[in-house]
Amino acid sequence: MAKVEGEFLKAQRTEGDFETPSFLPRKPIPDIGKQKIDGERFHSQEFMDREWEMIWTRTWNIGCHVTELEEPGDFRVHSLGKESLLFVRGADDVVRGFFNICQHRGNILCQVREGMVNHFKCPFHGWEWNLDGSLKQVMHPHLFPQFKDGVPDGDLDLPVLKVELWGGWVWFNMDPDAGPLREFLGEAGAHLETYEHEKFNLIDYKSFEWQGNWKHAHDAFNESYHFEALHPEFLDFAEGFDVPIELLGVHSRMLNFNHTVSEILEDRESMTPIREKMLGLPEGYQGSAKDVHLAVVAHKRSIQDESHIPYKRMNDEQLAHQYHYTFFPGTTITTTPEMSIVFRYRPHETDPNYCYYDFLITRHDPPGEPRPDFEYRLYRHAELPSYVDAFEGTFDPVLANVLQQDGTNMPTMQQGTASRGFKGMILGEQEVRIRNFHQTIDRYLRGDFPLHGDR
């Protein structure tokens, strides 16, 4: 048990039948084996192709945020692997998803990322589709002997994606026989509903092409064991050492302790400049640095009847600490009551040695607050920016630098796991989420598809 965990348990706790179960006292980390994880899965083209057919085309993933489709005609284009996907709000106010492919000659239909239209028109030959995906017009149909008896109704409509809205996000599945999203999210999805993420605004969105397999990106953000070595500055305002972890079927969660000082540091009492900046001190706080999280809980409880944030629905842990959930295969939602971030891990179109990492920031603004403007950018590997500059104004520079540290590991992880000298990953208890993830991949590749997230 981490020291901060014991300190939290000893403090006065709010009693109540909260919807999201607490981590504390923690459950034992399950023993799901000790086998090494091979390096070939990060490099093999065959493995990548099997993942595409057996995982990515059969699972639920996030396409865009609902606030990006606010008005009828608003659309967004999203890429996953080799597919271009189109999401649009129809004239009937229904959000739909389609394969973004012209049914005439296979051209990419909508060739800009976002906009507002009353119909879609292919720039090659001018065929048009309505917002509901139905064919609107064939250019000069009399030139096609196939249409001598009229253009067939429905045959040339845009191929649909299964689409559902949850947590403020538009989720999609390429499998027409996929079960309901809520069933797939399972217990993990129910836990997050207390945050009311559907009321959050999207305030920034950046993508990074990393020189590493998508699974390396996933693994980097699903354990905190690396904080001490890679992010030593984190230890002054968070605890990444020996955190509570739970496996929830094919999904998982962990608790990162915020507003405190790591037990690894000898001095947990003093208020240093970085602690004053990053600990989120309640007004007038005079206690030790390590105990700020207790004061944060007390402060939020004191304002829960006046706040637009649903503190009343949340247990004490949620008020102060970071709840970190990962949904198989490629979505992590890490959240506090005030801000939530989605990490989205996407495979490259063709090359297992590259991937895309998306960083989407949402915030629980007061009702009626204008939605902020931001500029989306995709940074290619050869032009990776200073992450501080990339998120200027929306993400604290200290945290942006931490994110950059994670990104720098991608090329060296990709190189190292391909070496003849690499004998396989040795995973400890604090990396059990990674083991569960890779075991789930193997399960899908065997054709054993869980019906929902709890199996």
Side-chain angles (χ1 to χ4, degrees):
M1 177 187 296
K3 285 184 179 179
V4 66
E5 183 176 345
E7 293 159 359
F8 196 85
L9 286 170
K10 289 177 184 177
Q12 182 68 37
R13 306 188 75 187
T14 306
E15 299 296 329
D17 186 20
F18 294 106
E19 300 162 67
T20 301
S22 300
F23 278 92
L24 306 180
R26 73 165 72 185
K27 302 177 180 67
I29 293 176
D31 181 0
I32 58 172
K34 300 178 178 62
Q35 296 83 1
K36 292 180 179 180
I37 305 297
D38 66 281
E40 181 67 13
R41 66 183 53 221
F42 299 96
H43 303 272
S44 165
Q45 186 68 54
E46 179 186 1
F47 199 91
M48 180 184 188
D49 293 342
R50 290 172 61 211
E51 285 178 338
W52 177 251
E53 294 300 328
M54 305 295 278
I55 296 176
W56 292 108
T57 62
R58 299 172 183 261
T59 49
W60 286 95
N61 292 278
I62 283 176
C64 63
H65 197 260
V66 292
T67 59
E68 298 182 277
L69 304 178
E70 189 172 19
E71 301 291 337
D74 282 343
F75 71 87
R76 292 293 185 274
V77 171
H78 173 65
S79 296
L80 179 61
K82 62 186 73 173
E83 295 290 358
S84 178
L85 310 171
L86 176 62
F87 301 93
V88 60
R89 185 175 291 276
D92 56 1
D93 208 38
V94 174
V95 173
R96 296 178 174 86
F98 308 100
F99 289 91
N100 184 28
I101 304 299
C102 174
Q103 297 303 296
H104 172 217
R105 292 268 292 276
N107 193 28
I108 297 296
L109 175 60
C110 191
Q111 299 182 7
V112 294
R113 196 189 80 88
E114 61 185 86
M116 176 181 279
V117 296
N118 54 30
H119 66 277
F120 297 105
K121 182 175 181 178
C122 180
F124 197 2
H125 297 93
W127 285 34
E128 298 179 4
W129 281 266
N130 297 308
L131 299 182
D132 65 359
S134 60
L135 181 66
K136 175 180 172 65
Q137 175 179 290
V138 171
M139 187 73 76
H140 306 307
H142 65 280
L143 298 176
F144 292 79
Q146 301 95 320
F147 304 151
K148 64 182 177 62
D149 297 323
V151 179
D153 185 34
D155 285 358
L156 295 171
D157 292 351
L158 297 179
V160 300
L161 301 165
K162 293 198 79 165
V163 167
E164 293 191 37
L165 308 184
W166 180 85
W169 299 97
V170 179
W171 294 70
F172 70 92
N173 198 314
M174 299 185 208
D175 182 359
D177 298 321
L181 169 65
R182 192 61 192 76
E183 185 177 311
F184 178 75
L185 297 177
E187 178 186 355
H191 291 181
L192 287 175
E193 289 174 355
T194 56
Y195 290 91
E196 300 179 6
H197 285 138
E198 65 276 6
K199 298 178 182 178
F200 284 42
N201 284 329
L202 181 65
I203 67 168
D204 209 347
Y205 171 19
K206 299 293 188 293
S207 297
F208 305 90
E209 182 187 53
W210 278 347
Q211 190 178 354
N213 188 269
W214 71 276
K215 295 182 290 297
H216 282 315
H218 170 281
D219 293 352
F221 293 96
N222 279 279
E223 48 89 0
S224 299
Y225 175 57
H226 68 280
F227 282 10
E228 181 180 3
L230 187 61
H231 311 310
E233 62 270 49
F234 241 14
L235 306 183
D236 273 300
F237 53 89
E239 178 59 273
F241 175 76
D242 190 18
V243 304
I245 294 169
E246 295 177 11
L247 305 182
L248 304 170
V250 302
H251 314 310
S252 64
R253 71 171 186 164
M254 70 180 177
L255 177 65
N256 288 136
F257 295 102
N258 287 345
H259 305 286
T260 189
V261 178
S262 172
E263 68 178 75
I264 295 172
L265 300 184
E266 184 176 346
D267 175 14
R268 301 180 68 219
E269 304 289 331
S270 304
M271 282 295 178
T272 62
I274 191 170
R275 293 176 183 180
E276 290 182 354
K277 171 180 167 59
M278 300 301 298
L279 278 174
L281 308 177
E283 186 175 355
Y285 181 74
Q286 297 295 321
S288 71
K290 69 179 178 61
D291 292 333
V292 171
H293 62 119
L294 306 178
V296 168
V297 173
H299 170 68
K300 291 180 181 178
R301 285 282 176 238
S302 72
I303 63 171
Q304 67 179 12
D305 291 329
E306 293 80 37
S307 178
H308 68 282
I309 298 173
Y311 295 137
K312 279 184 175 181
R313 297 183 63 184
M314 300 181 188
N315 65 53
D316 285 358
E317 294 168 11
Q318 290 176 280
L319 298 188
H321 301 301
Q322 195 95 13
Y323 268 35
H324 185 290
Y325 285 67
T326 291
F327 297 95
F328 185 83
T331 303
T332 289
I333 300 176
T334 182
T335 191
T336 66
E338 298 80 18
M339 181 174 285
S340 176
I341 299 173
V342 166
F343 309 150
R344 192 168 54 188
Y345 324 103
R346 293 184 287 137
H348 190 269
E349 297 88 342
T350 58
D351 192 340
N353 296 293
Y354 288 84
C355 72
Y356 298 104
Y357 172 74
D358 302 325
F359 196 88
L360 304 102
I361 307 174
T362 66
R363 187 174 63 203
H364 200 160
D365 294 328
E369 188 90 0
R371 292 200 177 104
D373 293 327
F374 63 89
E375 179 186 5
Y376 168 79
R377 280 201 62 181
L378 164 62
Y379 295 96
R380 296 292 181 180
H381 173 72
E383 59 172 8
L384 289 180
S386 159
Y387 287 39
V388 172
D389 294 339
F391 293 104
E392 184 178 5
T394 57
F395 199 47
D396 188 277
V398 173
L399 300 179
N401 185 60
V402 166
L403 179 60
Q404 186 148 6
Q405 292 165 352
D406 287 306
T408 60
N409 274 342
M410 293 303 109
T412 51
M413 289 291 295
Q414 192 67 11
Q415 179 182 359
T417 50
S419 171
R420 292 175 181 269
F422 180 63
K423 300 178 182 179
M425 291 184 176
I426 301 173
L427 302 178
E429 283 193 338
Q430 283 293 301
E431 298 162 305
V432 71
R433 300 175 80 200
I434 297 175
R435 183 177 298 283
N436 186 62
F437 166 69
H438 285 280
Q439 289 181 352
T440 301
I441 288 176
D442 293 342
R443 184 175 172 183
Y444 269 80
L445 297 188
R446 291 194 302 267
D448 177 13
F449 308 120
L451 294 178
H452 54 76
D454 295 335
R455 271 191 52 189

